[in-house]
């Protein structure tokens, strides 16, 4: 991939987004969230690429993955008016389909097309398959980190907005009450993630989002979590109980360990 190829991909993406005109304020807010998310994931990806000392070609490939990772969100929202995959469609698989059906990557060598499509497909899987080639595995790890690093921002902003200004498709429709499932906290202490489908309240979801830190791959990602004070900012949105405070401390300890060992 050359610089002009990447510029052409950015132009294609922008035109593709413009082919989903919002029909009301609510649509506009939801599409805007995803455009801004894409921009910010691209920036995060560049930070990681720099930290990993990638060369120009690898960096551009990583940026292309970031650019397209959520391309499926646009047709997903248009058809289903939600970003919840469980009640609509797997947006990563849909994104890969969009890229292939529109021949969006056709100017690139086959090997690069394949890497981008496969990294987009794998960006949201619960568990990354173990037997991936080195190049693909690195891209998958990078996009998963770059994505989470921005989803924390998206949700902190979402939680802070008054209800009528919230982008409606972002929430999971869970009740915003302080109760949480004991297994969500237990999993946090064991450095494990719970399944999205087992969550009952928004507090469960916030605790799951904190647990995403256990899925980060790179020291640079942990540094960004610390710089952006994500743990403290999430803690402020959680119920003030001793159990929750202990769980947040466990997450903080994990972060500090990673920062020291990195
Ligand atoms: Fe995504």
């Amino acid at each position: 991939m050359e610089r002009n190829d990447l510029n052409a991909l950015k132009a294609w993406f922008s035109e593709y987004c413009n082919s989903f005109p919002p029909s009301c304020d609510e649509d506009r807010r939801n599409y805007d969230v995803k455009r801004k998310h894409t921009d910010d994931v691209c920036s995060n990806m560049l930070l990681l690429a720099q930290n990993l000392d990638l060369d120009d070609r690898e960096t551009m490939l990583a940026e292309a993955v970031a650019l397209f990772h959520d391309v499926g969100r646009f047709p997903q929202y248009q058809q289903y008016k939600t970003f919840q995959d469980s009640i609509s469609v797997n947006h990563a698989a849909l994104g890969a389909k969009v890229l292939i059906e529109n021949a969006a990557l056709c100017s690139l060598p086959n090997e690069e097309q394949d890497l981008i499509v496969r990294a987009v497909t794998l960006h949201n899987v619960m568990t990354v398959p173990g037997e991936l080639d080195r190049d693909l595995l690195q891209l998958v790890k990078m996009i998963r980190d770059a994505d989470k690093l921005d989803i924390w921002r998206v949700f902190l902003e979402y939680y802070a907005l008054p209800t009528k200004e919230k982008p409606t498709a972002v929430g999971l429709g869970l009740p915003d009450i302080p109760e949480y499932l004991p297994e969500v906290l237990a999993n946090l202490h064991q450095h494990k993630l719970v399944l999205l489908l087992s969550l009952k309240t928004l507090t469960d979801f916030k605790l799951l989002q904190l647990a995403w830190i256990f899925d980060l791959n790179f020291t640079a990602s942990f540094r960004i979590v610390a710089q952006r004070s994500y743990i403290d900012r999430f803690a402020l949105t959680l119920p003030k109980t001793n159990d929750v405070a202990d769980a947040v401390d466990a997450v903080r300890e994990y972060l500090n360990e990673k920062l020291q060992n990195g």
Side-chain angles (χ1 to χ4, degrees):
M1 183 180 326
E2 305 290 334
R3 180 63 50 189
N4 59 335
D5 294 317
L6 181 61
N7 289 339
L9 296 181
K10 287 180 183 174
W12 184 91
F13 179 75
S14 180
E15 216 173 289
Y16 184 73
C17 292
N18 291 339
S19 71
F20 295 86
S23 53
C24 56
D25 277 355
E26 184 184 350
D27 285 358
R28 185 170 316 104
R29 275 199 295 272
N30 286 309
Y31 286 129
D32 282 354
V33 162
K34 287 301 165 190
R35 287 191 84 148
K36 163 102 173 100
H37 171 63
T38 299
D39 283 349
D40 287 14
V41 173
C42 286
S43 305
N44 289 341
M45 200 62 146
L46 289 175
L47 286 176
L48 295 181
Q50 247 172 19
N51 262 280
L52 294 167
D53 255 337
L54 301 195
D55 66 24
D56 281 356
R57 179 190 161 268
E58 290 168 327
T59 301
M60 287 189 281
L61 204 52
E63 200 179 346
V65 170
L67 181 69
F68 290 130
H69 83 284
D70 265 357
V71 69
R73 289 301 192 185
F74 294 85
Q76 177 187 40
Y77 181 78
Q78 186 182 52
Q79 189 171 355
Y80 300 98
K81 300 289 171 194
T82 183
F83 296 135
Q84 256 183 281
D85 288 11
S86 60
I87 56 168
S88 58
V89 65
N90 177 347
H91 74 278
L94 179 58
K97 196 168 148 230
V98 165
L99 294 176
I100 292 167
E101 283 181 355
N102 292 281
L105 308 173
C106 63
S107 65
L108 305 179
N110 285 342
E111 187 208 335
E112 292 184 351
Q113 294 191 30
D114 192 51
L115 278 170
I116 295 169
V117 169
R118 294 180 68 193
V120 167
T121 308
L122 291 170
H123 88 268
N124 70 337
V125 294
M126 182 77 184
T127 313
V128 177
E131 70 291 353
L132 304 180
D133 287 348
R134 222 203 62 183
D135 288 357
L136 177 60
L137 183 61
Q138 171 149 292
L139 282 172
V140 169
K141 285 179 170 175
M142 288 176 75
I143 186 57
R144 291 169 69 89
D145 280 21
D147 194 18
K148 289 187 184 77
L149 288 168
D150 191 60
I151 297 178
W152 281 313
R153 174 197 61 81
V154 169
F155 275 92
L156 285 167
E157 288 180 6
Y158 174 82
Y159 296 141
L161 279 174
T163 308
K164 62 178 189 334
E165 287 169 38
K166 286 188 201 290
T168 47
V170 170
L172 298 180
L174 294 167
D176 188 2
I177 52 175
E179 281 74 25
Y180 45 85
L181 294 167
E183 55 263 42
V184 177
L185 278 194
N187 277 16
L188 260 178
H189 284 287
Q190 291 165 35
H191 299 180
K192 287 198 310 205
L193 305 186
V194 284
L195 282 176
L196 204 55
L197 282 175
S198 61
L199 306 180
K200 298 276 184 286
T201 70
L202 191 64
T203 305
D204 289 334
F205 182 54
K206 289 174 180 173
L207 291 165
L208 166 65
Q209 290 186 309
L210 262 183
W212 285 345
I213 198 169
F214 306 130
D215 205 35
L216 290 180
N217 298 291
F218 300 108
T219 306
S221 306
F222 292 108
R223 259 188 253 127
I224 295 170
V225 169
Q227 279 160 9
R228 298 182 186 170
S229 309
Y230 280 143
I231 298 178
D232 293 342
R233 289 160 69 196
F234 257 86
L236 288 173
T237 76
L238 286 166
K240 310 281 175 283
T241 68
N242 290 340
D243 286 350
V244 168
D246 287 349
V248 172
D249 279 346
V251 176
R252 263 197 208 102
E253 243 170 70
Y254 180 84
L255 174 66
N256 288 335
E257 251 169 57
K258 291 289 176 180
L259 290 172
Q260 273 158 23
N261 300 336

